[in-house]
Amino acid sequence: MKLLRLGDQGSAVAEVRATLTYLGFLPATPRQGGEPGDSPAGPSAEEQTPDRFDRDLDLALRAFQQSRGLSVDGILGPDTARALEEARHNLGDRLLYLSATHPFVGDDVAALQERLFNMGFDVGRTDGIFGPRTESAVRDFQRNRGLEPDGRCGPRTLRELKRLRRTVTGGRPDVLRESVRILARGTSLLGVVVALDPGHGGDDPGIVSNGLCERDLMADLAARLSDRLIDSGLESQLIHGPEESPTEAERAARANAMEADILISLHADGSSSQHAQGVSAYYYGNARGSSAMGERFAQLVQREIVSRTDMQDCRTHPKVWDLLRRTRMPAVRLDLGYLTNHHDARALGSTEFRAAVAEAVLAATQRLFLPPEMDAPTGQLHVPRVAGRT
Ligand SMILES: [Zn+2]
């Protein structure tokens, strides 16, 4: 192919301009010269014609190259052309399937992988390439939704993905309850593995205030919670012992290795203002979407805790923190009040409060995995105690 660069002219240039405009790297209407943001070097009153490779187009192409991790040279060569082509694809534009000879590559594949990942399916890396793992994730999704598991992302699969996405972002709890993982799990708590992550540990005490230490309080809470979960027929495992404080990524890796069904990370908060108080729950998510199960679980836990204690409700929030991002199961981080606040510190310091939080988390876990009609009777299932629990 012929390389295109500043100064070139022709219909190929007009096409690049149209693509970069479509992708948002150029304003939809041509700018007039002299606006803020123009290159300070040289006059910017160039007459703009779509088929001329002008300075605006050069800057836009460089911005695009930077956003894609390409070498930023302002030259349209094979790599940049391919990246532009990939970026044009929106999910739904074309049928996606596993092709042995010419794998589908593009932003639509990346969007598909991201959605499946957010719903708990194993897509491997979100690399924008439709490979065998993406195909098997599509099959899993289709099976879960009662579609024919042909591994092809066509109109029906897309419709189901979009329908679920609305429920994910809409946050209606009764619809979220249908979330794929729950359907896959069935109606039994047998074998549900809960990974517990007491915040901090070892040399890292976390927040220390009002005579209390976050690390020690959370270790106590994790032990109580673990006992209650096991009493109720679930499996429970601690991510780490009191003597060590793994990194967020390491904690996530351990939960993944345990093949836990959910992860609960336990923290208290601190603030320079002693008025800051309350309980909040965090799940994986950002503006592009969130973990349906994570959000659902965060809401359940938050509701149970607030209704069982007199803690202020600081609500649930999506975050992209490493622990939440790297875990393959729904993960929730709880910030159980401010040790820097007198009210919250008094609560956290009492064993009654920590016992109440353990009950609240247990209730929320059961509600997450059991359908509504089986919600009420708790503690009726029995599995052997898990060996090797710390
Ligand atoms: Zn903490």
Side-chain angles (χ1 to χ4, degrees):
M1 72 172 282
K2 185 184 176 300
L3 303 183
L4 295 175
R5 69 183 76 202
L6 190 64
D8 285 341
Q9 196 155 0
S11 60
V13 174
E15 215 170 287
V16 174
R17 180 186 298 283
T19 302
L20 286 171
T21 304
Y22 170 73
L23 296 174
F25 287 89
L26 281 167
T29 49
R31 287 193 330 201
Q32 301 303 307
E35 278 184 20
D38 271 356
S39 163
S44 52
E46 289 178 75
E47 198 186 328
Q48 214 166 22
T49 52
D51 64 349
R52 188 153 99 217
F53 204 127
D54 60 11
R55 185 174 294 109
D56 281 348
L57 186 57
D58 178 69
L59 290 173
L61 188 62
R62 286 169 193 268
F64 172 77
Q65 289 174 324
Q66 189 169 31
S67 76
R68 295 275 152 167
L70 299 160
S71 40
V72 182
D73 54 11
I75 297 172
L76 188 87
D79 288 345
T80 302
R82 196 180 317 119
L84 272 176
E85 175 61 25
E86 287 176 14
R88 288 165 58 113
H89 293 295
N90 279 312
L91 188 56
D93 288 352
R94 52 182 182 171
L95 176 69
L96 296 171
Y97 55 92
L98 182 64
S99 163
T101 47
H102 295 93
F104 286 97
V105 180
D107 283 18
D108 51 349
V109 178
L112 171 66
Q113 291 171 328
E114 199 168 305
R115 287 189 197 181
L116 290 170
F117 172 81
N118 283 336
M119 289 186 283
F121 291 96
D122 179 14
V123 293
R125 280 172 41 200
T126 307
D127 54 8
I129 303 170
F130 198 109
R133 234 161 137 181
T134 308
E135 189 201 38
S136 100
V138 170
R139 283 187 205 276
D140 284 347
F141 173 77
Q142 290 170 326
R143 266 191 287 271
N144 270 300
R145 303 310 298 170
L147 301 170
E148 191 201 334
D150 60 4
R152 298 159 74 89
C153 184
R156 293 185 63 184
T157 302
L158 273 169
R159 207 178 311 130
E160 196 63 9
L161 276 169
K162 286 193 174 134
R163 199 177 71 77
L164 266 180
R165 185 176 175 77
R166 267 204 301 283
T167 69
V168 171
T169 50
R172 265 180 60 200
D174 54 330
V175 183
L176 284 172
R177 191 184 278 279
E178 302 173 359
S179 189
V180 283
R181 263 293 182 69
I182 299 175
L183 293 178
R185 166 65 62 187
T187 57
S188 169
L189 288 174
L190 268 172
V192 169
V193 179
V194 182
L196 294 179
D197 173 39
H200 312 277
D203 295 338
D204 175 10
I207 306 286
V208 178
S209 181
N210 285 310
L212 296 169
C213 166
E214 180 187 1
R215 172 195 58 205
D216 300 344
L217 291 173
M218 294 307 124
D220 171 85
L221 175 59
R224 286 173 190 278
L225 180 52
S226 185
D227 285 347
R228 291 297 294 125
L229 288 167
I230 289 167
D231 286 348
S232 303
L234 294 94
E235 292 183 19
S236 160
Q237 293 195 47
L238 294 178
I239 292 285
H240 67 96
E243 72 289 346
E244 57 164 352
S245 182
T247 64
E248 296 269 290
E250 174 62 24
R251 290 172 199 243
R254 291 185 190 183
N256 289 341
M258 286 172 189
E259 298 190 336
D261 292 291
I262 51 171
L263 169 79
I264 304 164
S265 186
L266 303 168
H267 284 262
D269 220 331
S271 168
S272 54
S273 162
Q274 63 174 20
H275 300 297
Q277 66 178 107
V279 174
S280 29
Y282 303 96
Y283 55 95
Y284 177 75
N286 57 24
R288 297 183 68 180
S290 59
S291 154
M293 282 283 275
E295 179 175 12
R296 169 84 179 130
F297 187 47
Q299 288 170 347
L300 285 169
V301 178
Q302 181 75 9
R303 202 174 65 195
E304 292 290 340
I305 293 175
V306 169
S307 68
R308 286 158 193 258
T309 64
D310 66 346
M311 300 296 268
Q312 191 174 308
D313 184 0
C314 297
R315 310 179 45 172
T316 63
H317 308 275
K319 294 285 175 192
V320 293
W321 294 332
D322 243 13
L323 181 76
L324 304 178
R325 188 167 66 90
R326 289 172 185 265
T327 36
R328 286 200 292 269
M329 72 293 305
V332 167
R333 169 174 158 155
L334 299 176
D335 272 11
L336 296 158
Y338 285 75
L339 285 177
T340 43
N341 174 267
H342 287 298
H343 169 274
D344 285 8
R346 201 179 318 118
L348 279 156
S350 78
T351 53
E352 290 77 14
F353 173 80
R354 298 199 293 279
V357 169
E359 289 304 314
V361 175
L362 172 64
T365 306
Q366 290 177 321
R367 287 183 200 287
L368 184 71
F369 286 101
L370 293 179
E373 63 274 14
M374 289 181 66
D375 243 2
T378 58
Q380 297 188 349
L381 292 164
H382 294 287
V383 294
R385 290 179 72 89
V386 188
R389 192 172 62 86
T390 44

